[in-house]
Amino acid sequence: DLFEKFGDNLIEFINDCSVNFTFHHEFRHILQFNFAPSNRNFDFSENFSSDSKFKMAKHAWEYDADRSAVYRVLRFAYQTFVDLRLNTQEQLKCVFYLALSSIILTKNLFYFGVVNDHTNQKKVLPDGFYTKMYSHPHSLVRIVNVLTYFIDCANDDHENLKMDLQETIKNVLKINKLYFDSLHEESSFTSQFFEQWGAHSNEINSYNNELYEFSIRNKSIKSLLEFN
């Protein structure tokens, strides 16, 4: 059984996936900065205030950093699968669901305003969906990018795995819901998440496609890809 194999290390694994994602996301920014033709006055801090300036390059760098970090987590999760001496495709899927859930949970803690909020009042931040605004892409844009890229990479690296988008979303959000329900018995995480995603799915997909096209032409990201 998968959970017996993890034993007391399951929470540690989920935490390590979150830490790995955050570290490699920020480390990617350091590389982007060093490969940029001009790296003056580039602020990576997240800013949703009215004076926040939108730059397509900044959104593209966040898009690229998320993808780079996702692949690092996927590799970490697969090594854990090997270390635990698991051997079936279904077990590998479950390990990947846990790893991906950790990333999405990290994103959703900020999206629903739980992190650094002593009142524990959950709310979607910032108010309203957007694309070309603020310092960073909207959390839903980033979450969908993370979900789809993780699945693509998993299937590319493990041709017989056949991770399915709908099945993955169902399992990942179930794990996220368990966490949010543990914070508040009246958590409406799942309904809010699907409501927002459903209402803006076309815009989300369109903007992620635009970010991809911009990213592959961005000098810093192109240089990084060639260097790798």
Side-chain angles (χ1 to χ4, degrees):
D1 181 81
L2 180 68
F3 293 105
E4 288 181 356
K5 288 281 190 179
F6 270 108
D8 295 333
N9 296 321
L10 178 59
I11 300 301
E12 182 180 352
F13 169 73
I14 293 173
N15 182 64
D16 285 347
C17 287
S18 179
V19 171
N20 265 282
F21 178 81
T22 304
F23 172 82
H24 287 292
H25 175 97
E26 299 305 329
F27 186 71
R28 184 71 169 188
H29 281 326
I30 295 172
L31 296 178
Q32 291 166 343
F33 185 78
N34 286 326
F35 276 86
S38 174
N39 52 26
R40 291 177 300 173
N41 302 321
F42 215 101
D43 182 10
F44 289 104
S45 62
E46 200 165 26
N47 186 353
F48 294 121
S49 65
S50 58
D51 62 349
S52 174
K53 293 181 180 180
F54 164 76
K55 292 182 179 179
M56 193 67 176
K58 284 195 70 175
H59 277 214
W61 280 21
E62 294 301 327
Y63 174 92
D64 173 66
D66 281 344
R67 287 190 158 212
S68 175
V70 160
Y71 190 64
R72 294 287 186 171
V73 172
L74 186 144
R75 290 178 62 184
F76 170 74
Y78 180 70
Q79 187 58 53
T80 301
F81 168 83
V82 172
D83 292 344
L84 291 174
R85 299 183 180 179
L86 300 168
N87 51 34
T88 71
Q89 297 297 301
E90 287 305 311
Q91 287 173 328
L92 180 56
K93 276 187 184 179
C94 288
V95 173
F96 282 167
Y97 291 153
L98 290 168
L100 183 52
S101 295
S102 176
I103 301 173
I104 302 304
L105 180 58
T106 304
K107 294 290 186 190
N108 276 324
L109 286 170
F110 288 95
Y111 180 47
F112 286 96
V114 175
V115 173
N116 295 329
D117 182 1
H118 70 278
T119 65
N120 204 28
Q121 296 292 315
K122 287 166 281 302
K123 54 189 175 181
V124 175
L125 296 175
D127 293 334
F129 181 78
Y130 66 89
T131 52
K132 296 180 180 179
M133 294 175 65
Y134 304 117
S135 63
H136 287 49
H138 192 278
S139 290
L140 276 174
V141 171
R142 299 177 70 178
I143 287 168
V144 172
N145 176 37
V146 164
L147 276 166
T148 54
Y149 190 65
F150 190 104
I151 293 168
D152 287 345
C153 290
N155 287 331
D156 286 345
D157 285 1
H158 310 278
E159 60 182 20
N160 296 320
L161 188 63
K162 298 179 181 176
M163 281 187 78
D164 172 75
L165 178 62
Q166 295 303 320
E167 181 185 24
T168 301
I169 291 170
K170 180 181 71 174
N171 283 286
V172 166
L173 292 189
K174 275 184 179 178
I175 296 170
N176 273 243
K177 186 177 186 302
L178 286 172
Y179 180 81
F180 276 93
D181 286 351
S182 73
L183 295 180
H184 197 287
E185 62 182 14
E186 296 179 2
S187 169
S188 57
F189 158 73
T190 304
S191 59
Q192 285 191 68
F193 188 89
F194 276 116
E195 180 183 336
Q196 290 284 319
W197 191 350
H200 303 290
S201 59
N202 290 335
E203 294 167 274
I204 291 168
N205 294 335
S206 176
Y207 194 49
N208 267 323
N209 288 337
E210 189 173 350
L211 285 171
Y212 172 78
E213 293 298 329
F214 186 93
S215 296
I216 61 176
R217 295 192 300 271
N218 178 265
K219 288 183 178 179
S220 173
I221 297 173
K222 278 182 68 177
S223 297
L224 259 176
L225 292 174
E226 290 168 2
F227 176 76
N228 291 339

